[in-house]
Amino acid sequence: MNAEHVGNVLALRAEVERLRLDGWESVAILPIDALAASYNGTGADWMPPSVRRALDGICAPFAPAVMVHDVETDASDGTMTTFNEVNRRFLKNCQTCAKDAHPWYSWKRYALLIQARAMYDAVDEFGWKAWTDAYIDSKINYKSTTNQLKEKNK
């Protein structure tokens, strides 16, 4: 595991807790290695690393909200209802990050609130495949871990 990534993850975890974002508890209880594996930054896994790095820079004020969203996506139950709930939480958390970044009288706050809505629209429109893939992956990993434990206990 990359030490720089782990340092980033620790700092973001602290920010998630400071802001008390919706879902912060799910981030707080994860061991650091699981959290570092879950948090992959802004954008879908299929995007090239250069695009992901660019999105991370553009969306930096929302990184704590992205972390919560990544953790919740990894815990996907595969249902549309939960997908919608997680995405609404993502919007609320992005709005919290925007409001924390700049005072009420700054135009930058309102620009970030518009960006927060655009990010919500993107995950709501294009995130279903990632949501269902995460659910399928969790089932495969669960079966693999269960089979390993059975073999070990023979």
Side-chain angles (χ1 to χ4, degrees):
M1 195 174 319
N2 180 330
E4 182 181 349
H5 180 62
V6 170
N8 233 3
V9 166
L10 286 169
L12 280 175
R13 173 192 268 176
E15 194 64 4
V16 166
E17 291 179 24
R18 181 186 73 79
L19 293 169
R20 286 293 194 253
L21 297 178
D22 280 2
W24 72 270
E25 302 92 339
S26 60
V27 170
I29 64 168
L30 277 182
I32 190 61
D33 56 333
L35 186 56
S38 180
Y39 175 68
N40 61 8
T42 309
D45 287 341
W46 55 263
M47 292 178 170
S50 59
V51 173
R52 303 276 308 265
R53 282 191 301 276
L55 285 172
D56 282 342
I58 294 165
C59 301
F62 306 107
V66 171
M67 175 177 274
V68 173
H69 193 261
D70 282 356
V71 168
E72 291 184 329
T73 298
D74 274 0
S76 168
D77 65 0
T79 68
M80 181 62 80
T81 301
T82 309
F83 174 74
N84 290 331
E85 289 171 6
V86 166
N87 287 345
R88 281 191 296 272
R89 254 191 310 279
F90 178 63
L91 174 60
K92 183 179 179 196
N93 286 341
C94 284
Q95 290 169 335
T96 299
C97 291
K99 291 173 182 176
D100 182 68
H102 298 286
W104 68 268
Y105 52 82
S106 174
W107 65 268
K108 293 177 183 177
R109 176 186 229 178
Y110 301 99
L112 286 177
L113 287 169
I114 292 168
Q115 185 179 353
R117 181 58 197 221
M119 290 175 64
Y120 163 78
D121 289 342
V123 297
D124 199 51
E125 183 70 27
F126 303 111
W128 179 248
K129 182 173 179 351
W131 181 256
T132 55
D133 286 352
Y135 176 70
I136 292 165
D137 288 347
S138 71
K139 294 299 172 199
I140 291 169
N141 290 336
Y142 175 78
K143 287 178 183 174
S144 173
T145 303
T146 303
N147 290 337
Q148 290 172 5
L149 288 172
K150 285 179 184 175
E151 289 297 316
K152 189 176 181 181
N153 290 329
K154 281 186 176 181

